[in-house]
Amino acid sequence: MSAMQKTTIPNQAQPEETWFSSWFDTPYYHILYKERNENEAQLFMDNLTHYLNLPENAKVLDLACGKGRHAIYLNQLGFDVIGADLSENSIAEASKSSNETLHFKVHDMREAFEEKYDAIFNLFTSFGYFENDDDNLTTLKAIKNSLSEYGFAVIDFMNVYQVINTLVPEEVKTVDGIDFHIKRYVKDGHIFKEIDFEDQGHSYHFTEKVKALTLQDFESMMEEAGIYLLDIFGDYKLKKFHKTESERLILIFK
């Protein structure tokens, strides 16, 4: 979950940008989160595709795909996959893995695709970043309009209640010799993460910001978007969602 507000780099003018065209494009984002569990991610993809019973060679869209690790694995499972992300740097890196049934493109998730997909996956809290809350509804409508007649969509979001209850206010994470000083707090219906660090004589500051969307929030938006919510899970093993205990909020809809 990431939202860039400001970066301090000496002797370098910074154009005004939104977080999603900036923080994701830095190498530091990928350094900080490099420890993400690949086995857990692949288990989730296995469970999800089995549950959805996708046909062989199904067309799958990985929306907000980053550097494409999930798109690549989905392609290995035999699906025809498109990975889409707003970050040009991430798409350039992901495109190195392209083949006849795996492609990547720069795309704004608020815009529907002309092509229709059998499944659309929005994974690992890649939703709720926008400054304008209306853009969340716009994104849901775009997802719905990009599905084939029998297609399914999946949003894998954090469980806000569990995140807030277990929030660590301050910590230092050292990755690749960089000390990331992290502060977390809740403000104005959003969960914030302030990240400060130094590297090669430069000081950096990023602010991640994600809307604290609850199941009720999603249900309200989906109703407005004409979306049918089929199922709700609470973790990557697809166990039942519990408001206070579940690690994730996984929504299956069409």
Side-chain angles (χ1 to χ4, degrees):
M1 61 185 186
S2 307
M4 176 176 173
Q5 303 295 327
K6 178 181 77 171
T7 314
T8 304
I9 305 178
N11 303 320
Q12 186 173 338
Q14 292 296 306
E16 187 174 342
E17 298 175 310
T18 54
W19 61 266
F20 44 77
S21 61
S22 311
W23 172 220
F24 284 161
D25 257 345
T26 75
Y28 299 108
Y29 171 81
H30 299 284
I31 291 172
L32 178 58
Y33 296 113
K34 69 186 294 184
E35 84 291 348
R36 286 177 169 166
N37 190 315
E38 289 296 324
N39 292 331
E40 184 182 57
Q42 292 183 0
L43 173 68
F44 182 35
M45 295 300 96
D46 290 341
N47 291 336
L48 202 52
T49 53
H50 180 74
Y51 166 81
L52 294 175
N53 194 25
L54 294 176
E56 195 173 340
N57 301 322
K59 290 186 179 294
V60 176
L61 171 62
D62 182 4
L63 191 60
C65 68
K67 289 188 175 182
R69 64 189 181 123
H70 308 111
I72 291 167
Y73 184 68
L74 286 164
N75 181 242
Q76 291 170 354
L77 293 177
F79 302 115
D80 187 345
V81 181
I82 292 281
D85 199 282
L86 195 63
S87 166
E88 294 183 11
N89 288 349
S90 291
I91 290 299
E93 182 66 27
S95 294
K96 296 175 183 177
S97 300
S98 297
N99 59 47
E100 288 185 2
T101 55
L102 176 63
H103 300 92
F104 295 92
K105 65 183 298 183
V106 175
H107 183 86
D108 189 323
M109 65 197 300
R110 290 168 290 190
E111 299 173 4
F113 285 77
E114 288 186 19
E115 189 169 4
K116 305 300 180 186
Y117 295 92
D118 300 307
I120 298 176
F121 296 154
N122 179 250
L123 305 171
F124 297 91
T125 310
S126 300
F127 193 92
Y129 298 144
F130 304 110
E131 289 298 319
N132 185 345
D133 290 343
D134 291 342
D135 286 338
N136 294 318
L137 178 61
T138 299
T139 299
L140 283 177
K141 290 178 178 177
I143 292 173
K144 177 179 182 285
N145 292 332
S146 301
L147 284 171
S148 64
E149 183 180 358
Y150 300 106
F152 298 96
V154 179
I155 289 180
D156 162 35
F157 200 68
M158 61 180 169
N159 177 13
V160 166
Y161 299 106
Q162 197 262 358
V163 168
I164 292 175
N165 286 338
T166 60
L167 204 66
V168 178
E170 293 190 33
E171 70 172 319
V172 179
K173 288 183 68 175
T174 302
V175 189
D176 290 358
I178 300 173
D179 294 332
F180 293 93
H181 296 262
I182 299 170
K183 294 182 180 180
R184 301 178 180 88
Y185 56 92
V186 181
K187 180 182 177 183
D188 298 331
H190 292 79
I191 296 171
F192 286 81
K193 184 189 290 185
E194 304 271 358
I195 304 164
D196 289 275
F197 58 94
E198 293 185 4
D199 186 41
Q200 299 180 11
H202 293 169
S203 295
Y204 297 86
H205 174 86
F206 294 99
T207 302
E208 298 185 359
K209 174 185 172 185
V210 64
K211 179 79 171 175
L213 294 165
T214 64
L215 173 57
Q216 188 174 8
D217 292 327
F218 275 107
E219 287 174 335
S220 297
M221 285 192 295
M222 287 179 173
E223 184 176 356
E224 188 172 348
I227 284 170
Y228 182 60
L229 181 58
L230 296 165
D231 224 333
I232 308 161
F233 298 113
D235 66 16
Y236 295 142
K237 295 178 181 177
L238 303 189
K239 291 181 181 176
K240 185 177 178 181
F241 176 75
H242 293 279
K243 179 177 175 179
T244 56
E245 300 170 17
S246 294
E247 294 180 1
R248 309 298 299 172
L249 173 61
I250 299 168
L251 307 162
I252 316 289
F253 60 95
K254 63 182 302 179

